[in-house]
């Protein structure tokens, strides 16, 4: 949806994925780029073996002044925040779209009539607060995606 919006505005859009294998689609414009993005996303299979911090460090060389880096993740490990913050010093705008995995897990547990483990929930909340604090420390904007909240509302709000 984010790429579609940018392509509709005639912006160049590129994509880097960090799944079972990394893939890079250089920035381009137009309907062919939309098709390439959709094909790449359809083939992505996340395995969680490469930390987001490593993927960001590997991609830093491809990001130039005037670009916007949009990081979409559910990672609560704060080690990726600093590499992202270095982009701002180079004139790159940054936005984080953070998927609240704990909220999605709680919703799934409720649908199965299961009670979430209070200790696990407390740890997840603590780690999420630490991540938000790290993002705020570097003044990186974050949009939090939670279950049952319209994505358009999250991205615009």
């Amino acid at each position: 949806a984010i790429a579609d919006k940018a392509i509709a505005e005639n912006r160049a859009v590129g994509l880097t994925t960090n799944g079972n294998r990394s893939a890079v689609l250089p920035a381009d414009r137009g309907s062919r780029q939309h098709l390439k993005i959709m094909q790449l996303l359809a083939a992505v299979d996340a395995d969680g073996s490469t930390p987001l911090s490593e993927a960001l460090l590997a991609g830093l060389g491809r990001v130039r002044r005037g670009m916007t880096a949009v990081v979409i993740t559910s990672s609560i490990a704060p080690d990726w925040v600093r590499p992202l913050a270095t982009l701002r010093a180079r004139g790159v705008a940054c936005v984080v779209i953070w998927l609240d995995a704990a909220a999605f897990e709680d919703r799934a547990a409720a649908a199965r009539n299961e009670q979430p483990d209070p200790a696990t929930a407390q740890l997840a909340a603590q780690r999420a607060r630490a991540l938000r604090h790290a993002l705020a420390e570097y003044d990186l904007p974050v949009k939090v995606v939670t279950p049952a909240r319209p994505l358009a509302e999250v991205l615009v709000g």
Side-chain angles (χ1 to χ4, degrees):
I2 296 166
D4 276 350
K5 177 81 170 144
I7 287 172
E9 293 175 0
N10 198 34
R11 295 177 185 262
V13 177
L15 180 67
T16 301
T17 63
N18 180 29
N20 58 353
R21 62 181 176 86
S22 294
V24 176
L25 180 62
D28 202 356
R29 292 178 167 77
S31 58
R32 287 199 65 206
Q33 185 71 352
H34 167 79
L35 181 60
K36 290 176 187 176
I37 290 170
M38 292 291 118
Q39 289 172 334
L40 180 56
L41 288 173
V44 172
D45 183 25
D47 66 357
S49 64
T50 304
L52 180 55
S53 59
E54 286 182 27
L56 286 172
L57 288 171
L60 289 178
R62 290 186 290 277
V63 183
R64 305 277 184 254
R65 175 177 293 282
M67 291 180 164
T68 300
V70 180
V71 176
I72 304 171
T73 186
S74 63
S75 173
I76 55 177
D79 63 340
W80 57 267
V81 176
R82 183 171 282 161
L84 184 62
T86 63
L87 291 174
R88 293 195 59 209
R90 293 176 29 201
V92 175
C94 300
V95 176
V96 175
I97 300 174
W98 185 67
L99 307 171
D100 187 346
F104 283 97
E105 290 169 11
D106 289 348
R107 184 173 174 109
R112 295 186 307 266
N113 292 322
E114 296 175 359
Q115 294 296 321
D117 176 35
T120 303
Q122 183 179 9
L123 179 61
Q126 183 180 22
R127 292 183 75 193
R129 280 192 303 274
L131 176 65
R132 286 186 180 146
H133 177 74
L135 290 165
E137 183 179 345
Y138 289 103
D139 199 27
L140 292 168
V142 61
K143 307 287 185 169
V144 181
V145 177
T146 56
R149 185 166 177 216
L151 188 56
E153 178 184 302
V154 171
L155 297 178
V156 174

